[in-house]
Amino acid sequence: MSQANTTSTTIIGVAGGSASGKSTLVRKLQEAFVDEHVTTLCHDFYYKAHDDLSLEERSKLNYDHPHSFDTDMMIEHIRQLKQGQSIQRPVYSFTDHNRLPQTVCVQPAKVLILENKELRELMDVKVFVDTDDDVRLARRLVRDVQERGRDMNSVLKQYFSTVKPMHRDFVEPSKRYADVIIPEGGQNEVAIDMLINRIAAHTGGGVSHSA
């Protein structure tokens, strides 16, 4: 694997419910630190492969339980990035409900953003995106139908059978560990500006004029 000259990595952890606005928040952080090298790892990249199951069987799995992720692989990849090594992260298809054969090369960076709620011991700054359940459901419905080729009934069934109860059991409790709680995620400009300044102070770097 290739080596980087960076000597330290600031890890920003972003957690929150499905369709809470995490991705929008991460995009705005990346734009704010465009002059820095920023890498993002999303937990959704690390869904386990199920090549032994049919598409119908895979579609019935609970993808909102922590056991559905290969978190050990993600931890190992974070360790390698902190050591200045590049990684080959997996690619997941939400249409096929399975990991694809190709991978994406990710280079080490000064700032590493994690969309993950479980790895808080590895994080320098912990963020929780807090958005109303009804808003998240509406966003998820639009996203899954328009972007992932799902039908509305299947999205609603999954939401009420696994997404909502898993949020209650595993995601919502993680909020108490957050250093920063951002209501409405990427739409909360005041909170985002405060977070950007906090990260800049932690890294010792500057904020892009485009932020």
Side-chain angles (χ1 to χ4, degrees):
M1 294 182 178
S2 63
Q3 297 292 320
N5 294 323
T6 54
T7 57
S8 63
T9 299
T10 299
I11 299 181
I12 313 300
V14 179
S18 174
S20 60
K22 299 187 297 296
S23 296
T24 302
L25 172 62
V26 169
R27 176 178 55 79
K28 291 188 176 183
L29 293 179
Q30 291 173 319
E31 292 171 352
F33 292 93
V34 69
D35 295 330
E36 304 277 359
H37 187 184
V38 178
T39 290
T40 300
L41 281 186
C42 180
H43 211 183
D44 286 357
F45 298 154
Y46 291 85
Y47 275 117
K48 293 178 180 176
H50 293 287
D51 297 326
D52 56 323
L53 301 179
S54 67
L55 175 60
E56 181 180 0
E57 290 171 324
R58 294 196 300 268
S59 66
K60 295 178 181 179
L61 296 176
N62 180 359
Y63 291 99
D64 296 284
H65 193 282
H67 291 164
S68 63
F69 299 95
D70 191 343
T71 303
D72 288 342
M73 176 188 285
M74 188 175 188
I75 292 173
E76 175 61 18
H77 281 177
I78 294 168
R79 183 188 67 79
Q80 291 174 345
L81 289 170
K82 291 190 68 174
Q83 291 177 350
Q85 301 174 339
S86 62
I87 64 167
Q88 295 291 330
R89 73 154 175 84
V91 178
Y92 188 81
S93 169
F94 290 95
T95 302
D96 298 330
H97 299 292
N98 204 9
R99 188 179 294 179
L100 300 178
Q102 63 263 39
T103 60
V104 172
C105 182
V106 177
Q107 300 293 336
K110 186 174 181 180
V111 178
L112 174 60
I113 302 175
L114 303 180
E115 287 191 50
N116 183 285
K117 62 185 178 297
E118 299 176 19
L119 306 180
R120 54 182 173 268
E121 69 277 4
L122 300 176
M123 300 170 181
D124 299 301
V125 180
K126 298 177 289 295
V127 181
F128 188 92
V129 180
D130 196 16
T131 303
D132 183 80
D133 288 353
D134 291 341
V135 174
R136 293 192 300 103
L137 173 57
R139 290 177 180 171
R140 183 183 177 102
L141 187 60
V142 172
R143 180 198 67 192
D144 284 6
V145 171
Q146 294 185 353
E147 299 178 15
R148 299 180 178 178
R150 305 273 305 280
D151 66 83
M152 185 175 65
N153 288 337
S154 71
V155 175
L156 292 174
K157 180 179 179 181
Q158 182 184 26
Y159 180 83
F160 288 110
S161 63
T162 63
V163 177
K164 186 175 181 179
M166 295 300 99
H167 176 86
R168 179 193 62 225
D169 293 347
F170 298 107
V171 179
E172 185 70 23
S174 70
K175 182 165 63 174
R176 67 179 182 269
Y177 299 104
D179 300 310
V180 181
I181 297 175
I182 300 183
E184 302 305 321
Q187 308 306 317
N188 191 327
E189 299 292 344
V190 173
I192 291 173
D193 287 344
M194 293 175 62
L195 177 59
I196 288 170
N197 290 328
R198 176 67 182 86
I199 296 172
H202 198 281
T203 62
V207 178
S208 166
H209 294 296
S210 64

